[in-house]
Amino acid sequence: MTSGETLRERVRAIAATHEGRRGPLLPILHDLQEEFGYLDAEAITVVADVLNLSRAEVYGVVSFYADFTEVPRGARTVRVCRAEACRAVGSEELAEHATRRLGVAFGQTAPDRSVTLEQVFCLGNCALGPSVQVDGRLHGRVDAARFDSLVAGS
């Protein structure tokens, strides 16, 4: 946001970049998520107003897709796949290790906002499980040692 620009004005400006576009809701939400890091209630209200949708319709989309969040996430996002294919090759043990190593439960952000830990139920990397995603980058065949290396940034 520029100096003096309110949240409402910024949300409207971002939405305006999608004017005339077919199905603009998801692209607008992605742009807002990228700019602000999360979608708060005020942003959802403005988007609903701009697109002539109910807040419930916009909130339904925000709450449905795991990529959107209503609270600030950590500087880093770590996702551990807990789907059946990954479970069969050790993702539950990896999940337990991840919570211990990062000091947060799934769905939580560290108090210092350094990391957010999420569980997902398929990263589409089934043949190379257990799989994790660190800051949007997919990794397969992850064990505890590799997990530690990945979250350390190595």
Side-chain angles (χ1 to χ4, degrees):
M1 283 192 302
T2 61
S3 154
E5 186 177 36
T6 68
L7 173 72
R8 287 181 171 274
E9 290 168 338
R10 186 63 191 139
V11 171
R12 287 185 183 282
I14 289 170
T17 67
H18 298 280
E19 191 173 340
R21 186 175 184 177
R22 188 173 167 169
L25 178 58
L26 283 173
I28 290 170
L29 293 175
H30 279 290
D31 286 355
L32 294 172
Q33 176 88 21
E34 184 174 326
E35 177 146 336
F36 300 114
Y38 67 106
L39 302 167
D40 72 1
E42 185 175 6
I44 290 171
T45 299
V46 174
V47 170
D49 182 54
V50 166
L51 297 178
N52 196 30
L53 299 169
S54 71
R55 286 190 322 267
E57 288 172 299
V58 177
Y59 177 75
V61 171
V62 170
S63 63
F64 179 79
Y65 291 103
D67 285 342
F68 299 128
T69 182
E70 299 167 69
V71 294
R73 286 188 174 141
R76 305 192 72 201
T77 300
V78 176
R79 293 178 171 160
V80 178
C81 181
R82 299 183 79 184
E84 292 304 316
C86 282
R87 279 179 183 242
V89 291
S91 73
E92 286 308 292
E93 293 82 4
L94 182 61
E96 290 174 20
H97 176 78
T99 59
R100 282 192 311 272
R101 168 71 167 76
L102 299 176
V104 294
F106 284 102
Q108 292 185 343
T109 297
D112 65 358
R113 290 228 176 116
S114 59
V115 66
T116 296
L117 179 61
E118 299 177 342
Q119 63 182 347
V120 293
F121 291 94
C122 192
L123 287 167
N125 200 33
C126 302
L128 299 176
S131 296
V132 301
Q133 189 179 60
V134 179
D135 298 329
R137 187 155 182 219
L138 183 61
H139 303 275
R141 295 192 176 118
V142 178
D143 59 13
R146 184 151 183 242
F147 180 87
D148 291 348
S149 176
L150 290 169
V151 298
S154 306

